[in-house]
Amino acid sequence: MKQIVMLEERREFLTQALKLVGGCVCVSALAACETDVLKSSNIAVRYDVSQTSELSTIGGAVKQAFDGQNGGFPVLIIRMDDDDFLVLSSICTHQACEVNLPGDGDPNIWCECHDSVFDRSTGDVVNGPATAPLQRFEASFDKSTETLTITF
Ligand code: FES
């Protein structure tokens, strides 16, 4: 019971934080709103893609947590091309539930809490009630070392 209360408090905190961060970014940097690439901490982490078989093929996706980044929630890492990865927050922009990992061939990312649907290739909203896209993190891939650098 205590754990459920803590999760609800965490969800409410994250919902308010997302609204605050989104509002500040939209006011101060319109370009960031247009691309939905939001940097919140400027902390870069490196991820060895070769250790994850799901990411060996284009279209592959995994959920991965990075030691307290993204509010403690994992991110979705999706291989878009040989040397291109999309990194999205798993925090639903409606009320901060954790979205599902997209299934093989599924063009969408689903949130089971209230059935919001996001585009797997952009994080944009396909169906509400969510109205904002999933937060997108900057990511660069070094093909020679198979290392993905994600900036939170
Ligand atoms: S929290 Fe995801 S749809 Fe409501």
Side-chain angles (χ1 to χ4, degrees):
M1 187 65 168
K2 185 177 179 184
Q3 195 170 16
I4 291 171
V5 171
M6 289 174 64
L7 285 173
E8 287 298 322
E9 288 173 354
R10 182 176 168 193
R11 181 175 298 154
E12 179 59 26
F13 170 78
L14 288 169
T15 300
Q16 295 306 319
L18 280 172
K19 287 177 184 173
L20 183 62
V21 169
C24 291
V25 170
C26 288
V27 167
S28 64
L30 187 57
C33 294
E34 290 169 351
T35 60
D36 300 316
V37 177
L38 307 176
K39 287 186 192 175
S40 54
S41 67
N42 256 348
I43 293 174
V45 298
R46 290 188 172 75
Y47 182 68
D48 183 354
V49 170
S50 68
Q51 301 297 311
T52 311
S53 62
E54 292 91 336
L55 293 176
S56 64
T57 56
I58 294 170
V62 295
K63 259 188 190 181
Q64 179 69 45
F66 291 97
D67 205 19
Q69 299 303 318
N70 192 38
F73 282 77
V75 293
L76 306 179
I77 302 173
I78 303 168
R79 188 165 206 151
M80 305 301 291
D81 209 333
D82 275 345
D83 54 3
D84 185 28
F85 289 81
L86 178 66
V87 179
L88 299 170
S89 172
S90 67
I91 303 171
C92 180
T93 55
H94 178 229
Q95 290 183 358
C97 285
E98 186 175 321
V99 299
N100 290 338
L101 182 68
D104 281 346
D106 189 335
N108 296 317
I109 298 166
W110 302 80
C111 178
E112 292 183 351
C113 283
H114 311 99
D115 298 327
S116 284
V117 182
F118 302 89
D119 187 302
R120 171 198 185 116
S121 61
T122 62
D124 290 345
V125 175
V126 174
N127 280 318
T131 58
L134 296 174
Q135 183 175 356
R136 183 174 171 175
F137 296 103
E138 243 181 49
S140 61
F141 183 60
D142 182 341
K143 202 170 183 175
S144 65
T145 60
E146 298 239 15
T147 301
L148 183 66
T149 302
I150 303 167
T151 305
F152 287 96

